[in-house]
Amino acid sequence: MIREAQKLDCPRMLELIHELALYEKAPDEVTVTLEEFIDAGFGEKPVWKAFVAEIEGKVEGFALFYIRYSTWKGCRLYLEDFIVTEKMRGRGIGKLLFERTIQEAKEKGYKGMVWQVLDWNEPAINFYRKYEAYLENGWLNASLSSQQIQKF
């Protein structure tokens, strides 16, 4: 069953985030606390929304997104994280989650949907190619950590 995420799903979603970080070879990069995660999704000023895949009462995947504004394109849905547990991959769950997210972008009239994929993640790249997704070259990701911001 694909449904909108609820506050009670957050602990399980955070478990899956840690699983994704391990898969992406960055297990120490997840620093968000459960309280921060819950507040960002269900607090006074929520900044993200998600769809979860629930199988036999357990969340086995999710697509978490938010809206970003492009000065060139307008409002676009940004797919921040998209994961299906390793044991549930290959069963069409990812397809259902991804297509529900595409439907959200369509229903809301957004000017597109964007996300990132690691260049070594061939299974994900092949999945996105089935949707004729455009995979950009030439862009580098940039960021400042909270510590760097505090030093400013």
Side-chain angles (χ1 to χ4, degrees):
M1 175 173 74
I2 305 299
R3 61 172 174 77
E4 286 191 22
Q6 301 169 2
K7 187 176 182 178
L8 293 174
D9 296 319
C10 288
R12 177 64 176 152
M13 291 173 69
L14 195 54
E15 287 177 21
L16 297 183
I17 290 166
H18 283 278
E19 182 179 322
L20 178 62
L22 189 62
Y23 177 77
E24 291 184 350
K25 302 174 176 76
D28 297 328
E29 294 297 316
V30 179
T31 59
V32 69
T33 66
L34 178 59
E35 293 75 24
E36 290 169 330
F37 186 65
I38 291 170
D39 186 58
F42 299 95
E44 281 185 39
K45 297 178 182 178
V47 295
W48 61 261
K49 182 176 174 180
F51 295 113
V52 297
E54 186 178 65
I55 300 164
E56 296 177 6
K58 187 174 184 182
V59 172
E60 297 289 356
F62 70 83
L64 185 145
F65 57 92
Y66 55 88
I67 307 313
R68 65 176 257 200
Y69 186 79
S70 165
T71 56
W72 290 13
K73 306 288 184 187
C75 289
R76 304 177 96 192
L77 186 149
Y78 185 82
L79 180 58
E80 174 65 27
D81 269 336
F82 174 44
I83 183 173
V84 173
T85 58
E86 188 173 358
K87 69 180 180 176
M88 292 293 181
R89 291 183 193 145
R91 300 181 185 198
I93 297 165
K95 179 182 186 302
L96 293 172
L97 277 169
F98 194 69
E99 290 179 0
R100 180 60 187 96
T101 308
I102 293 170
Q103 186 63 36
E104 177 81 0
K106 184 177 179 180
E107 289 170 4
K108 301 287 194 226
Y110 299 135
K111 303 297 183 185
M113 181 170 135
V114 294
W115 63 93
Q116 294 173 304
V117 61
L118 291 166
D119 60 0
W120 56 260
N121 191 344
E122 283 299 318
I125 291 168
N126 291 333
F127 175 84
Y128 297 133
R129 283 190 174 132
K130 291 177 187 175
Y131 291 89
E132 299 179 10
Y134 173 68
L135 300 173
E136 294 181 37
N137 289 322
W139 288 88
L140 299 175
N141 293 316
S143 66
L144 292 174
S145 69
S146 61
Q147 293 83 5
Q148 290 167 308
I149 290 170
Q150 293 307 312
K151 283 178 19 181
F152 182 78

